[in-house]
C-alpha cells in the first residue's frame, strides 16, 4: 500500500472510530488528520471532511438505530436544520478566508472541549 493511501486509510479509521464511539465528532478529528497527516490545505481538509462524514455517519446511524438509540420525534426537524446548516456552512467555507475558517474551527473545538469538561 502506498504511503499516502496508508495515511488516508488510517485517518479514515480514526475518524470512523471517534464518530462511532461518540455518535458524532468524527469531523473534528478528520480535519486535523487530513491537514497534518495527509497534507491537505485548510479548506480542502474541511470540504473533504464534509464528504467523508456522510458514510461515517450513515454507518454509525444504522448501528444506533438497530440498537434502539434514537429519538424518532426529533429526526425530521434535526435533519432539516442539519441540511440547512450544512448548506450555509458550505457557502461560508467558499467565501471566508482560510485564516477565518481556521479560527472558527479552533473556537468550535475549544468550546466543545470546555463543554465536555463542565
Amino acid at each position: 500500500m502506498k504511503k499516502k493511501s496508508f495515511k488516508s486509510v488510517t485517518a479514515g479509521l480514526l475518524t470512523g472510530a471517534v464518530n462511532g464511539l461518540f455518535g458524532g465528532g468524527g469531523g473534528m478529528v478528520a480535519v486535523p488528520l487530513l491537514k497534518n497527516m495527509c497534507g491537505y490545505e485548510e479548506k480542502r481538509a474541511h470540504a473533504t471532511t464534509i464528504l467523508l462524514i456522510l458514510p461515517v455517519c450513515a454507518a454509525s446511524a444504522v448501528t444506533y438505530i438497530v440498537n434502539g438509540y434514537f429519538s424518532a420525534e426529533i429526526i425530521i426537524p434535526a435533519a432539516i436544520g442539519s441540511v440547512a446548516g450544512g448548506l450555509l456552512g458550505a457557502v461560508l467555507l467558499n467565501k471566508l478566508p482560510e485564516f477565518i475558517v481556521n479560527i472558527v474551527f479552533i473556537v468550535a473545538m475549544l468550546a466543545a472541549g470546555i463543554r465536555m469538561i463542565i
Side-chain angles (χ1 to χ4, degrees), residues 35-52:
K35 281 177 49 185
N36 301 324
M37 186 186 293
C38 299
Y40 281 56
E41 54 93 12
E42 186 79 29
K43 285 188 177 184
R44 185 170 298 279
H46 284 277
T48 301
T49 295
I50 291 167
L51 294 172
L52 215 156

Side-chain angles (χ1 to χ4, degrees), residues 7 11 16 21 31 36-38 42 45 55 68 80 84 88 95 104 107 113:
K7 287 180 179 181
L21 183 62
V31 171
N36 301 324
M37 186 186 293
C38 299
E42 186 79 29
I80 291 168
L88 176 63
K95 294 184 182 232
V104 170
V107 168

